[in-house]
Amino acid sequence: MQKLNLPKYNFKLKNSENKVLIFDNLRKKYLVLTPEEWVRQHFVQYLIDEKRYPASLIALEKQLVINNRKKRTDVLIFNKNGTPEIIVECKAPSIKITQDTFDQIARYNLKLNAHYLIVTNGLQHYYCKMDFENETYIFLKDIPSYN
């Protein structure tokens, strides 16, 4: 898999039926290792190890319904009260991050009202803080560490 612009982590990998699988520590199971999953696993590990977010507050592929259609957030981080705090949208490294990517995460946030949005393809990371009053987002250099 491609080297990412994130710290290197040691993941449990295995082969099964001609596919490489990666062990997801949060879901406690092996998943097919796609380029997007490679980014998701690295970014989640980054949030836990570097930014100190408790694993217990992180949900992966959380389902939500928008306009009667089922969607899934890649990573959703809750605060201590169980309210969505951060939404992370992961793309494969080969996928260019565009306005469409931001529109996608913004649609999710109309439902979730998280305070921060993150879009990453593992190579580029965009961090935004919501400005609900002006209905826009403010780009940040980094996401705050868990406090």
Side-chain angles (χ1 to χ4, degrees), residues 50-108:
E50 317 305 323
K51 294 296 181 177
R52 301 289 178 222
Y53 284 87
S56 60
L57 297 180
I58 301 173
L60 302 182
E61 296 194 320
K62 186 100 172 112
Q63 184 175 295
L64 63 152
V65 178
I66 299 172
N67 297 329
N68 296 320
R69 300 185 71 187
K70 290 180 182 176
K71 302 287 184 183
R72 289 180 189 275
T73 60
D74 286 323
V75 182
L76 185 56
I77 303 167
F78 296 91
N79 64 23
K80 293 177 195 123
N81 303 324
T83 307
E85 185 69 16
I86 302 171
I87 306 170
V88 183
E89 180 61 32
C90 300
K91 298 294 182 192
S94 61
I95 304 295
K96 191 174 191 294
I97 294 173
T98 64
Q99 185 62 48
D100 287 345
T101 314
F102 284 98
D103 292 347
Q104 177 186 1
I105 199 170
R107 277 192 303 277
Y108 293 171

Side-chain angles (χ1 to χ4, degrees), residues 12-141:
K12 286 192 244 175
L13 303 174
K14 74 176 186 179
N15 289 304
S16 177
E17 298 175 17
N18 295 327
K19 289 184 181 149
V20 177
L21 305 178
I22 187 167
F23 188 76
D24 182 317
N25 284 317
L26 295 182
R27 291 180 272 188
K28 303 291 184 222
K29 64 180 183 179
Y30 279 94
L31 304 167
V32 174
L33 181 56
T34 62
E36 183 179 315
E37 191 61 45
W38 183 242
V39 171
R40 179 179 15 245
Q41 292 298 322
H42 273 81
F43 206 85
V44 166
Q45 209 57 52
Y46 169 75
L47 289 168
I48 292 169
D49 289 359
E50 317 305 323
K51 294 296 181 177
R52 301 289 178 222
Y53 284 87
S56 60
L57 297 180
I58 301 173
L60 302 182
E61 296 194 320
K62 186 100 172 112
Q63 184 175 295
L64 63 152
V65 178
I66 299 172
N67 297 329
N68 296 320
R69 300 185 71 187
K70 290 180 182 176
K71 302 287 184 183
R72 289 180 189 275
T73 60
D74 286 323
V75 182
L76 185 56
I77 303 167
F78 296 91
N79 64 23
K80 293 177 195 123
N81 303 324
T83 307
E85 185 69 16
I86 302 171
I87 306 170
V88 183
E89 180 61 32
C90 300
K91 298 294 182 192
S94 61
I95 304 295
K96 191 174 191 294
I97 294 173
T98 64
Q99 185 62 48
D100 287 345
T101 314
F102 284 98
D103 292 347
Q104 177 186 1
I105 199 170
R107 277 192 303 277
Y108 293 171
N109 205 33
L110 287 173
K111 191 93 168 171
L112 297 168
N113 292 315
H115 292 107
Y116 295 94
L117 306 179
I118 301 172
V119 177
T120 181
N121 63 6
L123 303 173
Q124 294 178 289
H125 321 292
Y126 295 94
Y127 307 100
C128 306
K129 180 175 178 29
M130 293 305 302
D131 177 349
F132 290 108
E133 195 175 304
N134 297 308
E135 296 181 350
T136 185
Y137 31 74
I138 301 154
F139 283 89
L140 307 172
K141 286 189 184 343

